[in-house]
Amino acid sequence: MAAIAGTPRWISAVLAMPGLLLLARTALVSAFLVGGIQKLADFPAAVAEQAHFGLQPAWLWAVAAIVVELGGSALVIAGRCVWLGAGGLGVLTAVSMLVANNFWALDGHDRFMATNAFFEHLGLIAGLVLIAILSLRKQNT
């Protein structure tokens, strides 16, 4: 990684460390990995979660969530078809934001918590977009 004007040399050295990008990609999708594994390990609970949010047929939404969470994470971590993995995870996150974090329909503390969760998820989607952009730029160099 070439040093960018104005970036301290030690920062450039840290950002160029071998394995840092892999570690960052893994950390970015870690919530999806954990969620997918938990849903797979307790499928009835995964179905109940989807039903709780009104998604029907709940079993199909649970299967879709598991496939996207685990498959998308694997693609992002492996650095293969990152656009597909990150895109799937981003869409899943957007759906969950609208279904589970409907802050506009809540009041008081519940509204505060849901608003925070909504915008945290929006930031996660931005991170997924950035990793897809980085992957595309890396391919084109």
Side-chain angles (χ1 to χ4, degrees):
M1 173 183 290
I4 298 172
T7 303
R9 187 172 301 181
W10 70 273
I11 296 285
S12 293
V14 169
L15 294 175
M17 289 175 63
L20 183 61
L21 184 56
L22 176 61
L23 180 64
R25 288 193 313 250
T26 304
L28 179 64
V29 299
S30 63
F32 299 109
L33 282 173
V34 170
I37 291 167
Q38 286 178 328
K39 286 176 183 70
L40 195 56
D42 190 353
F43 189 70
V47 172
E49 177 186 38
Q50 303 307 312
H52 170 76
F53 291 113
L55 299 171
Q56 295 296 333
W59 68 267
L60 183 59
W61 280 95
V63 168
I66 292 167
V67 169
V68 172
E69 286 181 332
L70 297 179
S73 295
L75 291 173
V76 169
I77 291 168
R80 310 284 273 177
C81 295
V82 175
W83 63 270
L84 179 61
L89 293 170
V91 168
L92 178 71
T93 302
V95 169
S96 70
M97 285 169 59
L98 296 173
V99 171
N101 296 315
N102 57 338
F103 66 90
W104 53 89
L106 303 173
D107 292 314
H109 185 69
D110 289 339
R111 182 183 182 106
F112 176 82
M113 297 298 288
T115 302
N116 282 342
F118 185 92
F119 286 99
E120 287 170 357
H121 284 86
L122 185 60
L124 180 56
I125 292 171
L128 291 164
V129 170
L130 289 171
I131 200 70
I133 291 169
L134 181 61
S135 176
L136 180 62
R137 287 186 180 173
K138 189 175 179 183
Q139 271 181 344
N140 292 335
T141 57

